[in-house]
Amino acid sequence: MAQIFDRVALIGLGLIASSMAHASRAHGLAGEIVGTARSAETRETARELGFCDRVVDTAAEAVKGADLVVLCVPVGVMGAIAREIAPHLKPGAVLSDVGSTKRAVIEAVGPHVPEGVHFIPAHPMAGTEQSGPRSGFAELFENRWLLMTPGDADKGALAKYRAYWEGMGANIEEMEPDHHDLVCAVTSHVPHLIAYTMVGVADDLRRVTDNEVVKFSAAGFRDFTRIAASDPTMWRDVFLTNKDATLEILGRFTEELYALQRAIRQGDGDHLHEYFTRTRAIRRGIIEAGQDTDAPNFGRGR
Amino acid sequence: MAQIFDRVALIGLGLIASSMAHASRAHGLAGEIVGTARSAETRETARELGFCDRVVDTAAEAVKGADLVVLCVPVGVMGAIAREIAPHLKPGAVLSDVGSTKRAVIEAVGPHVPEGVHFIPAHPMAGTEQSGPRSGFAELFENRWLLMTPGDADKGALAKYRAYWEGMGANIEEMEPDHHDLVCAVTSHVPHLIAYTMVGVADDLRRVTDNEVVKFSAAGFRDFTRIAASDPTMWRDVFLTNKDATLEILGRFTEELYALQRAIRQGDGDHLHEYFTRTRAIRRGIIEAGQDTDAPNFGRGR
């Protein structure tokens, strides 16, 4: 693959940024990769692992001369970082982010973007429950979706940035920020909140000891704990910055849950059976769309 | 491994029974395996696959002369089958089941158990989202828990039945039926109900098309759909027969979810962060207990 950007600056060096660095290098997409993180420990780890060409101490320093700057930090701090780096951005550079919500990022970062810098918000729908600079790997984005909310961004800059993500293996879809936030509330944010809640309930339950919950976590709860093991700061910011869509979907969820609860209380087996039958079809669609494996139990133990 | 039962009868030939047949044969635990199922199609498939030595047309015929009879049917029909087979059970035989709830099975089956037959209810905490005679495999129970609620069952019969499951690789824990039902409500039943609900919400949401939900089902929703793809009849019966524990845990779940919902509405980031941090520890425990892999994303795609 041909080189697309001469210098890429990654601000924040967690799972996504370290995977971007690995992937950029694997596919020869960047002349130089410069990284930085707020924590000295993270910077030290990144230097050790060597996935960046240079690791520098400040965001301002990192973005100097960079053709692409990507904010890979929790959504809640993106505004402050944008303000900090704004005076140092190279004219003509692409500025992007990898935040899980887009309306809030646009509101926080947008006002700081200097004239001549191309702001193209993006959201790679990829990740694992692990976090930090050691968790990245080059294949993370392969055949995963990158959602972009480019608005009226410059066509040339957009084409370049699209080529960069395509080079890392992603499929790209453009949409409006509010629509993005609703889609993600359904497919990701509310499922995560629910998983966190269920794990919290188990943890609270004194009559069933922690030990038993852990011991007997067959399929079901076990999968919830995986989801609920994701980075707490990232998820806090997701919910604080996608409040409206999250609360709307939560309202629908609660409504449906109450209907099922009433069916259980009233012994309405037909209602339950019909509901459970309907949900099978969606699973089938996901497998057919290539978004998951159809191996039983995700291929665990077989 | 030495043969433990001369003749084992499996009533119902789905995922669990077919896995028991494969495992019994792999470890030489049964002299003869006789199977039956209500559906002629299932019996035909089982004959084709050949995991039983004989497939017969009725439960009454299957249990004749069997030293171990295991009910592998949805909990809702166990009472009727117990009544049907009772006159044909061999004196001294062990009668068991693999139902996901235990209080209801004991109430439905118990009254039909003839004098001299040893009733030992059991629940293998193993499974995949797949069902039917083609889905079984010999390793399903390896290093998984079998929960038993033997009450005051005959010691000799209990020892034999334990040896049978240990032969298939299971770890065994004995407990009281009500405690079993509560533990399973937390670790399995309510998580499944919630997954079903979330998938139903997504299906209902017209503004986010089915296509988008399927397309962008990143980690989170994707895992929910897997859980929600399980057998509808089995799960209907689980909820109808574990009503009290399910409703209790659902009540706690709703309470916690409302607290998180309020924190989101009020922008209380500390509450969210603290909650999400606490849930990480349980995940760690499950990996340490060997109940799941710590490979990111269950080892998908890496």
Side-chain angles (χ1 to χ4, degrees):
Chain A
M1 187 93 38
Q3 181 176 314
I4 293 172
F5 290 105
D6 290 337
R7 186 184 293 173
V8 172
L10 303 172
I11 315 298
L13 294 169
L15 167 67
I16 299 293
S18 56
S19 294
M20 289 175 72
H22 286 294
S24 298
R25 192 171 277 180
H27 299 287
L29 303 171
E32 186 187 23
I33 302 165
V34 183
T36 189
R38 195 173 50 174
S39 134
E41 193 189 333
T42 302
R43 295 196 301 269
E44 203 39 60
T45 304
R47 281 190 188 107
E48 241 175 65
L49 296 172
F51 52 71
C52 293
D53 298 300
R54 280 190 294 133
V55 175
V56 300
D57 289 349
T58 68
E61 198 182 337
V63 307
K64 273 177 197 153
D67 309 286
L68 169 65
V69 173
V70 188
L71 307 178
C72 307
V73 295
V75 173
V77 296
M78 284 189 187
I81 290 176
R83 183 205 307 263
E84 182 188 339
I85 62 174
H88 310 282
L89 290 169
K90 179 176 160 180
V94 171
L95 172 64
S96 186
D97 75 295
V98 298
S100 309
T101 61
K102 296 270 68 82
R103 168 61 56 204
V105 169
I106 290 167
E107 283 169 5
V109 173
H112 302 293
V113 181
E115 191 73 28
V117 166
H118 308 293
F119 179 36
I120 307 175
H123 172 207
M125 298 197 81
T128 73
E129 70 277 23
Q130 306 199 338
S131 42
R134 294 188 191 278
S135 59
F137 54 101
E139 302 79 18
L140 180 62
F141 309 112
E142 277 175 16
N143 207 27
R144 296 291 144 207
W145 286 100
L146 179 85
L147 306 187
M148 273 189 183
T149 59
D152 55 358
D154 176 82
K155 296 285 172 238
L158 179 56
K160 250 182 110 168
Y161 193 46
R162 286 183 61 108
Y164 175 68
W165 277 100
E166 281 162 359
M168 293 192 286
N171 304 315
I172 299 175
E173 182 106 354
E174 298 180 13
M175 55 178 68
E176 290 302 309
D178 288 337
H179 189 70
H180 167 278
D181 289 356
L182 182 66
V183 167
C184 290
V186 178
T187 58
S188 171
H189 304 169
V190 172
H192 272 82
L193 189 72
I194 287 165
Y196 276 122
T197 306
M198 189 65 227
V199 174
V201 168
D203 191 31
D204 278 347
L205 204 68
R206 298 301 168 205
R207 271 189 297 152
V208 177
T209 66
D210 279 9
N211 186 38
E212 276 182 315
V213 167
V214 166
K215 212 160 138 184
F216 306 126
S217 63
F221 186 70
R222 181 176 60 177
D223 298 342
F224 278 47
T225 65
R226 190 194 72 83
I227 299 174
S230 307
D231 183 51
T233 304
M234 174 193 147
W235 282 102
R236 177 198 63 195
D237 286 2
V238 163
F239 296 117
L240 294 180
T241 61
N242 196 16
K243 189 185 289 201
D244 294 347
T246 300
L247 292 177
E248 179 186 335
I249 302 302
L250 264 182
R252 285 167 181 266
F253 172 84
T254 312
E255 202 177 293
E256 299 246 1
L257 187 61
Y258 275 138
L260 288 171
Q261 187 170 332
R262 201 177 51 213
I264 292 171
R265 202 182 293 280
Q266 298 178 339
D268 184 351
D270 291 345
H271 179 103
L272 296 172
H273 192 271
E274 194 186 309
Y275 201 95
F276 299 163
T277 302
R278 186 158 65 87
T279 55
R280 281 193 140 177
I282 291 206
R283 173 71 189 166
R284 183 57 37 204
I286 285 176
I287 291 165
E288 281 164 9
Q291 290 288 303
D292 204 356
T293 169
D294 65 350
N297 253 347
F298 307 112
R300 280 186 194 112
R302 231 206 134 161
Chain B
M1 186 89 43
Q3 180 176 313
I4 291 171
F5 291 105
D6 291 337
R7 188 183 293 171
V8 172
L10 303 172
I11 316 297
L13 293 170
L15 168 66
I16 298 293
S18 56
S19 294
M20 289 175 72
H22 286 294
S24 298
R25 193 170 274 182
H27 299 289
L29 303 171
E32 188 187 20
I33 302 164
V34 184
T36 190
R38 195 172 50 175
S39 135
E41 193 190 333
T42 302
R43 293 196 301 269
E44 203 38 59
T45 304
R47 282 191 187 106
E48 240 176 66
L49 297 172
F51 53 72
C52 294
D53 297 301
R54 282 192 291 135
V55 175
V56 299
D57 287 349
T58 68
E61 198 181 338
V63 307
K64 272 177 198 154
D67 308 286
L68 170 65
V69 173
V70 188
L71 307 178
C72 306
V73 294
V75 173
V77 295
M78 283 189 188
I81 289 177
R83 182 204 307 264
E84 182 188 339
I85 62 173
H88 308 283
L89 290 169
K90 178 176 161 181
V94 171
L95 172 64
S96 186
D97 75 294
V98 297
S100 308
T101 61
K102 294 271 68 81
R103 166 63 55 202
V105 169
I106 290 167
E107 283 170 5
V109 173
H112 302 294
V113 181
E115 191 74 25
V117 167
H118 308 294
F119 179 37
I120 307 176
H123 172 207
M125 298 195 81
T128 73
E129 69 277 23
Q130 306 200 338
S131 42
R134 293 188 191 279
S135 59
F137 54 100
E139 303 78 20
L140 180 62
F141 309 111
E142 276 175 17
N143 207 26
R144 295 290 144 209
W145 286 100
L146 179 85
L147 305 187
M148 274 189 183
T149 59
D152 55 358
D154 176 80
K155 296 288 172 236
L158 179 56
K160 250 180 109 168
Y161 194 46
R162 287 182 61 109
Y164 175 67
W165 276 99
E166 280 162 1
M168 293 193 286
N171 305 315
I172 299 176
E173 183 108 351
E174 299 179 12
M175 55 177 69
E176 290 301 310
D178 288 338
H179 189 71
H180 167 277
D181 288 357
L182 182 66
V183 167
C184 290
V186 177
T187 59
S188 171
H189 304 169
V190 172
H192 271 83
L193 189 73
I194 287 165
Y196 276 121
T197 307
M198 189 64 227
V199 174
V201 167
D203 191 33
D204 278 346
L205 206 68
R206 299 300 169 205
R207 269 189 298 151
V208 177
T209 66
D210 279 6
N211 186 38
E212 275 183 315
V213 167
V214 166
K215 210 160 140 184
F216 305 126
S217 63
F221 185 69
R222 182 176 59 176
D223 298 342
F224 277 46
T225 64
R226 189 195 71 83
I227 299 174
S230 306
D231 183 53
T233 304
M234 174 191 145
W235 282 102
R236 177 197 63 196
D237 286 2
V238 163
F239 295 117
L240 294 181
T241 60
N242 196 15
K243 189 186 286 200
D244 294 347
T246 300
L247 293 176
E248 179 186 335
I249 302 303
L250 265 181
R252 285 166 181 265
F253 173 83
T254 311
E255 200 177 293
E256 298 246 2
L257 186 62
Y258 275 138
L260 288 171
Q261 188 171 332
R262 202 177 51 213
I264 292 170
R265 202 182 292 280
Q266 298 178 341
D268 184 351
D270 290 346
H271 179 103
L272 296 172
H273 192 271
E274 195 185 307
Y275 200 94
F276 300 163
T277 302
R278 185 157 64 88
T279 55
R280 281 193 141 177
I282 291 207
R283 173 71 189 165
R284 184 54 39 204
I286 284 176
I287 291 165
E288 281 164 9
Q291 291 286 304
D292 203 358
T293 168
D294 65 349
N297 253 346
F298 308 113
R300 282 185 192 111
R302 233 208 130 162

